C-alpha cells in the first residue's frame, strides 16, 4: 500500500510565501530578464508551476522518473501513442476502455499504426501476439469494465524481451493499490478524472515515465501537441490527491461488502470483483495489489438483456446513472449502451461485456445504504418478472 505520509510529503509548500497549498499560477507567460534568461518558466504550455507541482507528485506516487499532466485521460493516452511511428504495432488488452479503442482504431490506424488485441490475462497470448513491429504493449489492470487482472511483471518481461515498452492504464487501481513501474512497466497512464481527482469535478489525465529516455520524449510531445492540464484543474487534482489513500481504503472495504452481497442475489448471474476468491484472476490481483482490490464492481444479470439492465440502472437512489467513476458519490452505468457503445457488438460480447453487464463505482456512502439501494432495485426486477409471468399464465388460461 502506498504510504500516505510519502504522498503528503510530496506536495510542496510554496517557497515564495510559505503557502501550505500549491498556488494557482493563472498566467500564460513569464517575464524574462533577457532573452532566454528566466526563473525556469517561459511559456505556460511548456511549463506552469502549478502543473509542475502536480507532475512531480505524480512521478513520486508512481515511482517514476517524471510525470506529465494532460487535459484528459485520452489526451494522456494520445501522447503515449505519439511515441510511435507509422508501421509500428501495439498489442493491447481485448476489453480496452472504449475511448482508447476509438482513438486506436479510428485515428491511429489511419496514421499507419497497427493494433492487435488479445486476452492479456494469459501472458502466453501476449507473447504469441508480439512481432518485431511491436513497440508498445497496452494493459489496463484491473480492466474496464470486466475487472480482468493481468500479470504486469510477467508481461513486462515478455515485452522487454521483444524490445517493446509496456504501458499500464492504472486508472482503476490508482497508485495507492498498484505501482506498475515497480513491477516493470515503462509508462503508466491515468484518467485523473477518476480516483486521482476523486470528486467528479474535473477532467484530467496523467502519464508517468519510468526512465529519462521516455520522459524527455513525452515532455517534447506534451509541449509540441499542447494537450496540457490548466493550472486550476492541476490545483484541484492536487487537492484530491491529499485524501487519495483514505478514500481508496474506504472504496475497497465498501466494494468488497457490496460484491459479497451481490453474490447472494438470485437475479445476479455473475459478479466481477478481483477481491472475490471466485474471480479468475484473484491470485494475480492479490500478488500485485496486496493493499486492496478497488471500488469498481461489474455484474451480469440472470436475465441477460439490455431491458433488465436498464430497469436496474434506472431503479437506484444512491447509485446515480452516469458515465465515469472514482468519485465520492456512487455511480452506475450500462457499458453496452454507454461507455462501450463504440466497440462493435461481437467484439464487446467476446470480451465479456454482456448485454446486461452493469458497472458500479462504489462511492463513499455507508455500505449498508448502498447495499439496501441495490437490494430494492433487484427486488423490483424480480417483481416485474413475476407480474409478467402471471400475465402470460392468465393469457394462456384464457386461450385454453
Ligand atoms: C475514463 C477512462 C479513460 C479516459 O479518461 P478521460 O479522463 O475520460 O479522458 C481512460 N482509461 C480508463 C480506464 C478510464 O476509466
Amino acid at each position: 500500500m502506498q504510504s500516505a505520509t510519502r504522498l503528503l510529503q510530496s506536495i510542496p509548500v510554496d517557497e515564495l510565501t510559505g503557502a501550505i497549498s500549491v498556488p494557482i499560477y493563472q498566467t500564460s507567460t513569464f517575464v524574462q530578464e533577457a532573452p532566454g534568461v528566466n526563473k525556469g518558466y517561459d511559456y505556460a504550455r511548456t511549463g506552469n508551476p502549478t502543473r509542475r507541482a502536480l507532475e512531480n507528485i505524480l512521478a513520486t506516487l508512481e515511482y517514476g522518473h517524471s510525470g506529465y499532466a494532460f487535459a484528459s485521460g485520452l489526451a494522456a493516452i494520445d501522447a503515449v501513442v505519439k511515441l510511435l511511428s507509422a508501421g509500428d504495432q501495439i498489442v493491447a488488452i481485448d476489453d480496452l476502455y472504449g475511448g482508447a479503442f476509438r482513438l486506436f482504431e479510428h485515428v491511429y490506424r489511419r496514421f499507419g499504426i497497427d493494433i492487435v488485441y488479445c486476452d492479456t490475462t494469459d501472458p502466453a497470448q501476449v507473447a504469441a501476439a508480439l512481432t518485431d513491429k511491436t513497440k508498445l504493449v497496452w494493459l489496463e489492470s484491473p480492466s474496464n469494465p470486466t475487472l480482468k487482472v493481468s500479470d504486469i511483471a510477467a508481461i513486462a518481461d515478455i515485452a522487454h524481451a521483444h524490445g517493446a515498452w509496456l504501458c499500464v492504464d492504472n486508472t482503476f487501481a490508482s497508485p495507492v493499490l498498484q505501482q506498475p513501474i515497480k513491477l516493470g512497466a515503462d509508462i503508466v497512464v491515468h484518467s485523473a478524472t477518476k480516483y486521482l481527482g476523486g470528486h467528479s469535478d474535473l477532467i484530467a489525465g496523467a502519464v508517468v515515465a519510468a526512465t529519462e529516455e521516455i520522459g524527455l520524449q513525452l515532455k517534447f510531445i506534451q509541449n509540441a501537441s499542447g494537450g496540457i492540464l490548466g493550472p486550476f484543474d492541476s490545483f484541484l487534482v492536487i487537492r484530491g490527491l491529499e485524501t487519495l489513500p483514505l478514500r481508496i481504503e474506504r472504496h475497497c472495504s465498501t466494494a468488497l461488502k457490496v460484491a459479497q452481497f451481490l453474490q447472494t442475489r438470485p437475479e445476479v448471474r455473475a459478479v466481477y470483483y478481483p477481491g472475490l476468491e471466485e474471480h479468475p484472476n484473484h491470485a494475480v490481483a492479490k500478488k500485485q495489489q496486496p493493499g486492496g482490490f478497488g471500488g469498481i464492481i461489474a455484474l451480469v444479470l440472470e436475465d441477460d438483456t439490455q431491458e433488465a439492465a436498464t430497469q436496474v440502472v434506472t431503479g437506484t437512489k444512491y447509485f446515480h446513472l452516469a458515465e465515469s467513476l472514482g468519485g465520492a458519490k456512487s455511480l452506475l452505468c450500462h457499458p453496452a449502451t454507454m461507455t462501450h457503445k463504440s466497440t462493435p457488438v461481437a467484439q464487446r460480447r467476446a470480451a465479456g461485456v454482456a448485454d446486461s453487464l452493469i458497472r458500479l463505482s462504489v462511492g463513499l456512502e455507508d455500505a449498508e445504504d448502498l447495499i439496501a439501494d441495490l437490494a430494492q432495485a433487484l427486488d423490483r426486477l424480480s417483481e416485474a418478472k413475476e407480474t409478467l409471468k402471471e400475465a402470460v399464465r392468465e393469457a394462456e388460461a384464457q386461450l385454453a
Side-chain angles (χ1 to χ4, degrees), residues 77 93 95-98 100 120 138-145 148-150 167-170 172 178:
I77 293 170
I93 182 165
D95 66 340
L96 189 68
Y97 171 70
T120 57
W138 191 278
L139 292 184
E140 279 175 44
S141 188
S143 68
N144 183 7
K148 283 185 182 176
V149 176
S150 301
C167 179
V168 178
D169 184 331
N170 201 26
F172 271 37
Q178 174 170 278

Side-chain angles (χ1 to χ4, degrees), residues 71-77 97 99-100 140 142-144 169-172 189-194 202-205 324-325 359:
S72 68
L74 275 171
I77 293 170
Y97 171 70
E140 279 175 44
S143 68
N144 183 7
D169 184 331
N170 201 26
T171 299
F172 271 37
V189 303
H190 279 279
S191 169
T193 310
K194 317 292 169 56
L202 58 87
I203 299 285
S324 200
L325 56 101
R359 187 185 74 192

Side-chain angles (χ1 to χ4, degrees), residues 216-229:
L216 289 175
Q217 290 182 54
L218 283 167
K219 190 181 167 70
F220 177 84
I221 290 164
Q222 185 192 41
N223 185 49
S225 286
I228 49 152
L229 189 64

